[in-house]
């Protein structure tokens, strides 16, 4: 399991680097207001994503280990087809909500920006589902290769934006979403063709996933409420510049959050295995070790931030 954790941490370091690079792209080559808008749109991804994360990632990781052979193929195919259909519908709904919501608070943004944010959502959702299927199969090496491909395409898009002088909120969102969509579409459509799946089968698979992941969905919504909304209060009281400053400061803590998301992708399948085998003692030991690991790494990271953050912040953000 140690090797899996190390690979997962390396994989999450790649994703953290991509997210950090996209933010720096706007900080360095865009305006403060543009980065403030970008940070709000990225935070909205977290608001629109709890259902997907709970049903198509967490619940998939837990349920897929209960199935074998043809049953697993049918479940995976049903979830992949639901992923394709529901994400496209959800992304259109999210773009509409963003457009109307911006008009209601007198912060009008164009349909182009809303469409780019929706494309970034689709790319994020597709990427996370493909990663979940590979984590469930304990193919952490494939996850790392997959995310490296996403990172490489994103980097090429960022270099093009810088070279052409077209760095903006729209191009940054398209870099993020476009790269993930291009890398994910092949594996995702292949999963959707693995086996036969009727509409009734798709519906029953999604309902089963919802029953497993619904509390994760509710918890994620509450988490978003207390961990993300301060950006919008900052924008409401101090404008996009204030939102940009707060979001830039939060970038230094982003790697820690991404590491725990990666560790959860390793922990959930292993915990499900132990539950299936009835190994309550082993599951308890795993939970205790994980708690110690979380506290230790968070403490070390906090100390490191206090020591190096002032120097790093001035070098990165100017």
């Amino acid at each position: 399991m140690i090797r899996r954790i190390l690979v997962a941490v390396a994989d999450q370091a790649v994703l953290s680097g991509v997210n950090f690079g996209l933010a720096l792209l706007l900080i360095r080559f865009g305006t403060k207001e543009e980065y403030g808008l970008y940070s709000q749109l990225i935070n909205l991804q977290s608001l629109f994503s709890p259902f997907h994360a709970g049903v198509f990632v967490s619940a998939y990781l837990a349920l897929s280990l209960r199935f074998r052979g043809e049953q697993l193929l049918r479940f995976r195919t049903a979830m992949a087809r639901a992923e394709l259909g529901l994400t496209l519908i959800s992304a259109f709904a999210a773009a509409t909500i963003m457009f109307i919501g911006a008009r209601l608070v007198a912060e009008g943004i164009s349909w182009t920006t809303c469409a780019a944010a929706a494309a970034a959502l689709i790319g994020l959702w597709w990427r996370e589902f493909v990663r979940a299927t590979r984590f469930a199969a304990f193919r952490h090496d494939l996850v790392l290769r997959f995310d490296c491909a996403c990172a490489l395409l994103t980097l090429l898009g960022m270099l093009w934006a810088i070279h052409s002088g077209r760095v903006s909120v729209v191009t940054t969102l398209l870099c993020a979403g476009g790269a993930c969509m291009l890398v994910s579409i092949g594996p995702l459509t292949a999963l959707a063709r693995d086996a036969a799946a009727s509409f009734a089968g798709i519906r029953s698979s999604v309902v089963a996933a919802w029953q497993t992941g619904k509390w994760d969905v509710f918890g994620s919504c509450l988490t978003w409420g207390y961990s993300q909304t301060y950006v919008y209060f900052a924008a409401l009281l101090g404008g996009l510049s204030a939102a940009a400053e707060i979001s830039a400061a939060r970038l230094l803590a982003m790697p820690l959050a991404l590491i725990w998301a990666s560790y959860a992708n390793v922990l959930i399948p292993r915990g499900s295995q132990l539950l299936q085998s009835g190994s309550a003692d082993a599951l308890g030991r795993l939970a205790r070790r994980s708690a110690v690991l979380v506290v230790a790494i968070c403490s070390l990271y906090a100390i490191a931030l206090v020591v190096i953050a002032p120097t790093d912040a001035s070098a990165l953000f100017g």
Side-chain angles (χ1 to χ4, degrees):
M1 185 170 172
I2 297 298
R3 180 180 178 276
R4 293 172 185 167
I5 292 173
L6 291 176
V7 172
V9 169
D11 167 70
Q12 211 64 39
V14 172
L15 293 182
S16 181
V18 169
N19 292 336
F20 198 73
L22 288 167
L24 282 182
L25 180 68
L26 269 180
I27 290 172
R28 285 293 191 178
F29 298 97
T31 65
K32 185 180 286 189
E33 287 72 21
E34 283 182 313
Y35 179 63
L37 175 59
Y38 173 79
S39 65
Q40 292 189 72
L41 292 174
I42 290 297
N43 278 352
L44 280 176
Q45 287 187 348
S46 302
L47 175 62
F48 293 131
S49 295
F51 176 80
H52 183 271
V55 173
F56 289 93
V57 179
S58 297
Y60 180 89
L61 286 169
L63 288 174
S64 62
L65 294 170
R66 301 180 187 177
F67 304 129
R68 295 289 183 274
E70 188 64 28
Q71 191 179 21
L72 174 59
L73 280 178
R74 288 198 300 270
F75 174 70
R76 190 170 63 194
T77 299
M79 292 299 287
R81 293 185 183 183
E83 170 78 17
L84 285 167
L86 288 176
T87 52
L88 293 174
I89 295 170
S90 299
F92 178 78
T96 304
I97 291 170
M98 284 186 278
F99 184 77
I100 295 174
R103 290 292 186 275
L104 291 177
V105 296
E107 290 286 349
I109 57 177
S110 67
W111 259 112
T112 305
T113 303
C114 294
L121 266 176
I122 294 173
L124 170 72
W125 288 337
W126 287 2
R127 183 192 73 191
E128 290 305 308
F129 180 75
V130 172
R131 294 175 78 244
T133 62
R134 293 176 177 180
F135 273 120
F138 298 100
R139 293 303 308 271
H140 304 80
D141 55 328
L142 292 182
V143 176
L144 180 57
R145 293 177 194 173
F146 173 79
D147 286 332
C148 284
C150 287
L152 179 59
L153 278 182
T154 304
L155 177 61
L156 291 174
M158 291 165 62
L159 292 174
W160 168 83
I162 294 170
H163 179 72
S164 62
R166 297 184 179 180
V167 176
S168 67
V169 174
V170 171
T171 55
T172 305
L173 289 169
L174 289 178
C175 283
C180 293
M181 289 172 69
L182 287 173
V183 177
S184 302
I185 188 63
L188 184 55
T189 53
L191 290 170
R193 296 194 302 267
D194 265 350
S198 63
F199 178 78
I202 295 172
R203 182 178 179 278
S204 65
S205 294
V206 173
V207 169
W210 165 252
Q211 292 300 322
T212 301
K214 61 184 177 182
W215 295 114
D216 192 1
V217 174
F218 297 146
S220 295
C221 290
L222 290 174
T223 299
W224 183 89
Y226 68 74
S227 67
Q228 304 288 345
T229 51
Y230 62 86
V231 173
Y232 301 99
F233 284 113
L236 183 64
L237 298 174
L240 291 176
S241 295
E245 291 174 1
I246 289 178
S247 297
R250 192 182 61 171
L251 280 177
L252 295 174
M254 183 185 293
L256 196 61
L258 291 174
I259 285 173
W260 296 133
S262 178
Y263 183 59
N265 287 331
V266 176
L267 193 63
I268 291 172
R270 179 58 179 159
S272 296
Q273 269 190 336
L274 293 174
L275 279 174
Q276 289 289 96
S277 62
S279 305
D281 291 340
L283 183 61
R285 287 195 299 273
L286 178 63
R288 287 191 293 272
R289 290 171 182 171
S290 298
V292 171
L293 182 67
V294 168
V295 172
I297 292 182
C298 286
S299 300
L300 290 173
Y301 194 85
I303 293 170
L305 277 184
V306 170
V307 173
I308 67 174
T311 303
D312 282 356
S314 60
L316 289 170
F317 307 134

